[in-house]
Amino acid sequence: MASTVNQPDSPATKRPGYGQLLRTPRAWTFLLPGFAARQPFAMLTIGIVLLVQNTTGSYGTAGAVAAVTGVSMAVFAPQNGKLADRFGQSAVLLPGVLVHTASVVLLTVLALSHAPMWALFAAAVPAGASVPQIGPMVRARWAAKLDGSPLMTTAAAFESVTDEFTFVIGPVLATALCTGVHPAAGLIAEATLTLVGGLFFAAQRSTAPAPNRAVDGVRAKHTSALTIPGVRALAVAFLGIGAVFGGMQVGLTSFTEEIGRQGIAGLLYGTFAAGNMLAGVVCGAIAWRRSPQGRLLIAYAALALACSALWAVHSVPLLGALGLLIGLCIAPALITGYTLVESLVPATSRTEAFTWLTGSVALGQAIAVTAAGQLADRVSASAAFVVPLAGTALALAVLVALRKRLKPRSEGRIVQASTRGMSHRVPVTVD
């Protein structure tokens, strides 16, 4: 069996950078469709909050409906990821985008018809359960192409930037449509973009990871990614990040309404997301020497500290500046968490692992939206900003306690082996 071990001119030994990453063969065939397909994701929660608040007059009710969607996504996203690992991404995406589109349209009609809350909840469940997991699927494609390469950190940063760019565009677009066109326009746009973008991405089958169904005629064993201790620790960390997203959405919306400037809510949230995007660009360009575990703890501590002042800010410029700072702190934590998946999780379970993290963000966001909505209704808009602080502080405490679980499952370099005409990537431990 012939093998070669990371020759000097191989991608694994070059300095990682965005230029090198984007020259990965056939990467653009999934990057462009993936970018289009994930745009609606950032519009869903804010679209629900704005529509339901308009039809009911209550942020608490709006937050509760959005929370049901988030919880449903958190519960079903890992199952969708597991199915994608086993049967292929297209097999999960095609029915998923159809169900999601129909569910969002139904939720919109019910809200406009002033349907009872139980009916809104009933429609919110399938709307959340069927959210297409485009981000995790794109990350799984990167992991399949870059397994063992230092470019994985760059890819994680690139995906974080792409995600946050959607959170710059999505909330601003949804808010503009809901406030300037019609309260339902944001959700209608979300459903339309999901259908078109999701089907386009599903059609790009050549770059998708191979389904983990059988190897040489033998049924492949599949172990849930959640059985890995490190994934559980990361899931807790991502719950706190979700609390920031949810608390910021409700807090900024209620604060701008309280001062009579509701139209700038999307702009403020876009500033917050822009900070995340800017930090993501920088993180991906740095050749890190500190271990990912150490970087995660430092970034998360900085995030909790930045969130500690939110509740006391009552000025739009100061709130925008603080939101930018919080965004700058989120990106390093997100990027490092996603990077750790590559070293913690076998390739056969990575889509599922990524969806556990995405689902944790959604669950944290759902809890935060509910809590922040109640605080905004019963106390004040500023009280809603206590939620990001509480979420990150609790998650940081748990992350510190579970830090040893982030140890990679193996260390070593990747070699190329050829057996019976098939190429395999084999981990070799290097002393």
Side-chain angles (χ1 to χ4, degrees):
M1 180 175 67
S3 64
T4 59
V5 182
N6 287 341
Q7 297 301 323
D9 59 346
S10 69
T13 58
K14 293 179 181 178
R15 178 185 176 89
Y18 291 112
Q20 183 186 353
L21 178 73
L22 296 178
R23 288 193 296 272
T24 301
R26 298 163 67 195
W28 286 102
T29 63
F30 64 84
L31 283 181
L32 291 179
F35 177 77
R38 75 177 73 186
Q39 291 305 309
F41 182 77
M43 302 172 65
L44 182 59
T45 300
I46 191 68
I48 291 173
V49 169
L50 291 172
L51 173 61
V52 177
Q53 193 279 332
N54 179 270
T55 57
T56 65
S58 170
Y59 278 106
T61 300
V65 176
V68 170
T69 304
V71 171
S72 180
M73 175 186 160
V75 170
F76 286 94
Q79 308 311 315
N80 292 336
K82 187 182 295 186
L83 290 173
D85 281 328
R86 183 171 178 182
F87 298 106
Q89 294 184 357
S90 295
V92 175
L93 271 176
L94 291 174
V97 295
L98 297 177
V99 172
H100 182 75
T101 302
S103 301
V104 171
V105 170
L106 176 60
L107 177 59
T108 302
V109 171
L110 290 172
L112 292 175
S113 303
H114 300 280
M117 186 179 295
W118 67 262
L120 298 179
F121 287 163
V125 171
S130 58
V131 171
Q133 299 300 309
I134 302 298
M137 290 182 179
V138 172
R139 286 181 168 91
R141 296 187 187 213
W142 277 124
K145 282 188 165 292
L146 303 174
D147 194 11
S149 167
L151 280 173
M152 269 304 301
T153 299
T154 308
F158 182 84
E159 288 306 308
S160 179
V161 171
T162 304
D163 281 341
E164 291 316 310
F165 188 63
T166 69
F167 277 96
V168 172
I169 296 175
V172 174
L173 177 59
T175 302
L177 290 172
C178 290
T179 58
V181 180
H182 189 277
L187 282 184
I188 294 300
E190 190 274 345
T192 303
L193 289 171
T194 296
L195 179 64
V196 176
L199 293 178
F200 187 27
F201 181 80
Q204 312 306 312
R205 303 189 181 196
S206 62
T207 54
N212 180 36
R213 282 184 284 192
V215 179
D216 292 337
V218 179
R219 189 175 184 82
K221 181 180 179 181
H222 185 92
T223 302
S224 173
L226 201 60
T227 62
I228 298 170
V231 174
R232 297 197 294 270
L234 290 174
V236 172
F238 278 52
L239 275 172
I241 292 174
V244 178
F245 287 133
M248 290 291 284
Q249 283 184 342
V250 174
L252 291 173
T253 303
S254 58
F255 176 79
T256 53
E257 183 184 14
E258 190 175 86
I259 64 173
R261 300 177 65 184
Q262 188 175 6
I264 67 170
L267 179 60
L268 284 175
Y269 194 84
T271 302
F272 157 69
N276 199 342
M277 182 173 65
L278 177 61
V281 172
V282 174
C283 285
I286 295 175
W288 296 98
R289 295 184 179 180
R290 185 181 293 273
S291 70
Q293 299 94 317
R295 299 203 310 268
L296 179 59
L297 290 172
I298 292 172
Y300 216 97
L303 175 60
L305 182 62
C307 289
S308 65
L310 269 174
W311 64 274
V313 175
H314 303 285
S315 162
V316 170
L318 286 178
L319 191 57
L322 188 56
L324 180 67
L325 176 62
I326 292 171
L328 290 171
C329 295
I330 283 182
L334 275 174
I335 291 167
T336 308
Y338 281 123
T339 302
L340 279 167
V341 169
E342 195 268 341
S343 62
L344 292 169
V345 183
T348 54
S349 299
R350 282 180 189 154
T351 304
E352 182 198 352
F354 287 129
T355 52
W356 274 113
L357 301 189
T358 303
S360 292
V361 173
L363 180 58
Q365 185 173 355
I367 296 171
V369 164
T370 303
Q374 293 295 328
L375 289 171
D377 278 347
R378 300 185 181 189
V379 184
S380 68
S382 296
F385 289 125
V386 174
V387 175
L389 169 59
T392 52
L394 289 172
L396 176 61
V398 174
L399 188 60
V400 170
L402 301 179
R403 64 189 181 279
K404 293 183 179 179
R405 298 189 178 189
L406 299 175
K407 182 179 179 181
R409 59 189 172 89
S410 63
E411 296 181 356
R413 295 186 295 179
I414 302 297
V415 301
Q416 298 292 329
S418 177
T419 306
R420 292 182 297 176
M422 297 178 62
S423 177
H424 302 273
R425 299 182 72 82
V426 182
V428 177
T429 302
V430 179
D431 297 329

